[in-house]
Amino acid sequence: PINSCDFRPARPFRIVTGSEDNTIGVFEGPPFKFKMTKQDHTRFVQAVRYSPSGHLFASAGFDGKVFIYDGTTSELVGEVGSPAHSGGVYGVAWKPDGKQLLTCSGDKSCKLWDVETRTLISEFPMGTTVDDQQVSCLWQGEHILSVSLSGFINYLDVNNPTKPLRIVKGHNKPITVLTLSDDRSTIYTGSHDGAVTNWNSGSGTNDRVGGVGHGNQINDIRASGDFVYTAGIDDSIKQISVEGNLYTGVDMKLACQPRGLDILKEGNTIVVGCVKDLTVLQDNRKVSTLPISYESSSVSINTETKDVAVGGDDSKLHIYTLNGTQLVPKVELEHLGPVTDCRYSPDNKLLVACDAHRKVVLYSVDEYKPAHNKEWGFHNARVNCVAFSPNSELVASGSLDTTIIIWFVNSPAKHTIIKNAHPQSQITGLVWLDNETLISTGQDCNTKVWNIENVA
């Protein structure tokens, strides 16, 4: 297989390829015809890149070597370093003026080279763990960036090689949960591998939450005051300190796997929907459990009426009343498919639920009857998540079909579709930052911010 290819940006045009047969292929054209192979590498060739002028090209391989060739004749000019790295070299990037070359390697370092003398200018040590291996690099204008195996993006500082200017600590596994801090200043995202990242909703700066977390998939996350609570498939609820940005060590064990949770601030009460029961926690201790005959998917609490909505895989939305610390069944609402998510509106007057049968249903809380006679069914596949805007006038829904739909509560016949919101990736979470800003997360590990205009 070919690992890398590049196109010469000037005449005469050339294409070079780097392959796992340890060779570099050179093609001349157009039309491009095979010209020669270069066999200087002894292991897989991982990257080939022409300089911005096309005067030279560089190749990097798993043998730790980096070679520079003439851009026109493809003759070997020389080797950079001897070898350049002690581990495989994954990427090379040219400075825009073509005078310097950046290399990144599995030896957990990046290096900056002078092209003319092929000597080392500076070395960027990136850490000591396997996750600190450097798998890609980019020279974009003034910015020098590298990507760690962990998925972190490092902005390198030429003047201080030991400390990056900033590190973007995003996710490299699908994001499964999303929530906002109470003051809406911080976005929390959690992924399939148990990593939780906080993002400043204004500037986008971010950091990874420290401490001992779940270490595996997080099924739900909610913020309450100074703490954020996560539900993991390790059958526990854990607590993150907002100020300290780390897990506090509070670990509430459950009888079965939690699927969803919501928090009632008064009384510090958490209601957890699990696979076999509904558990009520108060002051981080279990105070009651109610066995259920279905698997729950999501939980939402109405802070005014103390009603608790629980989505079930039995195609029903189950409504309970929280009586002290006990849950008392109140009413069941039929859906045409398993209920995947539910949310009460911020003004506590409405409840929205979505299901695997592509439908989004809006209920009025008074009688738990549909709030309008329009069918909100424009998704093409299972709807995964729903979210109310702070003014309770807009509902966003995200689906397996990669689209986000904005529904207008006051004019239910209207809706806005965001197609391919996360291309080729289902939407896994939605939350409104304000009445015009929506945040979405996807299976593609991305967190996106959308500007929504209320056209209704």
Side-chain angles (χ1 to χ4, degrees), residues 369-422:
K369 295 274 193 300
H372 56 76
N373 59 4
K374 296 281 182 287
E375 184 171 274
W376 284 358
F378 290 91
H379 283 294
N380 302 324
R382 181 184 73 225
V383 188
N384 288 333
C385 48
V386 284
F388 263 107
S389 61
N391 61 8
S392 305
E393 289 177 13
L394 303 173
V395 171
S397 60
S399 164
L400 179 64
D401 65 8
T402 77
T403 63
I404 295 171
I405 300 185
I406 311 297
W407 311 90
F408 300 95
V409 172
N410 297 330
S411 39
K414 283 190 172 179
H415 65 274
T416 302
I417 299 181
I418 304 173
K419 280 203 167 83
N420 256 348
H422 289 250

Side-chain angles (χ1 to χ4, degrees), residues 311-332:
D313 69 344
D314 57 353
S315 301
K316 286 178 185 161
L317 181 59
H318 301 260
I319 311 294
Y320 299 85
T321 303
L322 187 61
N323 195 342
T325 57
Q326 303 295 319
L327 288 171
V328 182
K330 181 173 179 179
V331 63
E332 292 179 355

Side-chain angles (χ1 to χ4, degrees), residues 36-174:
M36 65 177 107
T37 55
K38 311 299 288 179
Q39 299 179 331
D40 300 295
H41 286 284
T42 55
R43 297 285 306 277
F44 295 173
V45 182
Q46 203 59 27
V48 285
R49 283 290 175 272
Y50 275 102
S51 63
S53 66
H55 172 56
L56 300 167
F57 76 84
S59 72
F62 270 170
D63 49 10
K65 291 179 182 289
V66 175
F67 294 106
I68 290 180
Y69 299 87
D70 184 281
T72 312
T73 65
S74 305
E75 291 296 314
L76 178 65
V77 175
E79 183 182 347
V80 175
S82 55
H85 287 273
S86 58
V89 186
Y90 282 94
V92 294
W94 291 84
K95 188 176 180 178
D97 65 9
K99 290 182 177 171
Q100 293 177 4
L101 188 70
L102 176 69
T103 58
C104 63
S105 164
D107 67 6
K108 311 173 192 63
S109 75
C110 295
K111 291 183 181 178
L112 197 56
W113 305 90
D114 182 284
V115 172
E116 196 175 335
T117 60
R118 299 191 292 283
T119 52
L120 184 67
I121 298 172
S122 58
E123 179 174 353
F124 304 89
M126 302 306 292
T128 54
T129 68
V130 171
D131 270 350
D132 295 320
Q133 293 186 34
Q134 301 301 298
V135 294
S136 184
C137 59
L138 175 67
W139 202 315
Q140 191 70 34
E142 298 290 299
H143 302 288
I144 308 175
L145 294 88
S146 76
V147 181
S148 304
L149 184 62
S150 60
F152 292 179
I153 298 170
N154 313 290
Y155 284 73
L156 305 180
D157 186 352
V158 178
N159 302 318
N160 182 7
T162 55
K163 189 172 186 294
L165 290 167
R166 63 180 279 222
I167 303 175
V168 180
K169 300 181 179 182
H171 296 279
N172 66 350
K173 297 284 186 296

Side-chain angles (χ1 to χ4, degrees), residues 256-298:
C256 51
Q257 185 181 319
R259 289 290 172 80
L261 70 101
D262 201 5
I263 301 169
L264 187 63
K265 289 208 179 45
E266 56 187 80
N268 197 14
T269 306
I270 304 175
V271 179
V272 186
C274 301
V275 176
K276 294 176 184 160
D277 66 30
L278 301 176
T279 298
V280 180
L281 305 163
Q282 211 166 34
D283 294 324
N284 304 335
R285 287 196 317 279
K286 194 186 291 187
V287 288
S288 78
T289 53
L290 177 69
I292 52 176
S293 59
Y294 57 91
E295 281 190 20
S296 64
S297 67
S298 52

